[in-house]
Amino acid sequence: MISKTAFKSGFVAIVGAPNVGKSTLLNQCLGEKVAITSEKPQTTRNRILGVAHLPQAQLIFLDTPGVHRAKGPLNVRIVEVALKVVESVDLVVLMTDAASPQKAAHDMILRVLRKKTLPVVLAVNKIDLVKKERLLPLMDQWQKAYPFEAIVPMSALEGTQVDDLVAEMVKLLPEGPKYYPDDSLTDMPERFIAAEMIREKVFRLTGEEIPYAVAVTVESFKERPEKGLIDIQATIHVEKETQKPIIIGKGAKMLKRIGTHAREDIERMVGCKVFLKLFVRVQKNWTRDARAIRRFGY
Ligand code: GDP
Ligand code: MG
């Protein structure tokens, strides 16, 4: 059945003091279909922990390294480093432990979040460990502490109200394309997402004239750590000669706009500077050419 509800997609960071249950929640959200990027340590780049594939949305979870690896109490430096990732996400889930509120750590996190304009959802976890009489005043305190978009009591371990939390996340995400194919278990998804981000900009910016017969391939995706950037070369394939000038535009203005918008999205994903070079190529009737279709990954 075709749903009228727009598809949502975006980046989510789960933050909170150590041991509140972030990893447990992540496992619940990701289920079996986990797409995890390579485990090689990336100090300057965002790491994708996994993608939750829902019928109406795709949630891409980004790692917040400091908070995840912190063993002892958090300090301001750890929080600041961890929350750098927050600059590139669409939504933050702050997780707390109802049985052990760790007020100091969370005040610190809230102080950093307050400087941003991101929507924050509070997940009050481990409600299986506390009595309702204790939970209600706690939720009340949180409500006064910060303008959360929503406060969701839950138990990641027992799976209680995880659905409610996911529903809140979906509600707050922007409309966006399916960056990953449904069954993606690839260890190199960034390349694919980059292509999808470019394709989306072509649709958004060129409007009606350009039919869905546009494909994007990423020919080269090279990390240049010495320059602190990623070098990407991609091609926009169209079916007809007449479509080429629409994509390129007068004085190549359209292609530049597509490139700028796509680059900004890709930079948000990878968390570092991107140098994006775009080409436009006519591949006659590619939609009917089985080999071409395979090459484009459809
Ligand atoms: P993280 O450090 O925030 O990633 O926390 P973890 O997900 O590793 O969880 C820390 C501990 O809390 C583990 O022993 C979990 O099993 C436990 N835990 C997580 N969620 C819950 C919950 O909802 N209820 C209870 N009772 N324990 C939980
Ligand atoms: Mg963890």
Side-chain angles (χ1 to χ4, degrees), residues 145-169:
Y146 193 84
F148 296 107
E149 298 294 327
I151 300 179
V152 184
M154 57 169 292
S155 168
L157 192 66
E158 299 188 337
T160 320
Q161 269 146 247
V162 172
D163 288 356
D164 292 357
L165 180 64
V166 171
E168 288 296 342
M169 290 194 240

Side-chain angles (χ1 to χ4, degrees), residues 16-25 67-68 70 95 97 125-129 154-159:
N19 282 318
V20 293
K22 299 181 296 294
S23 301
T24 311
L25 171 68
V67 173
H68 273 286
M95 179 166 261
D97 178 342
N125 194 30
K126 307 197 189 181
I127 56 165
D128 54 294
L129 298 178
M154 57 169 292
S155 168
L157 192 66
E158 299 188 337

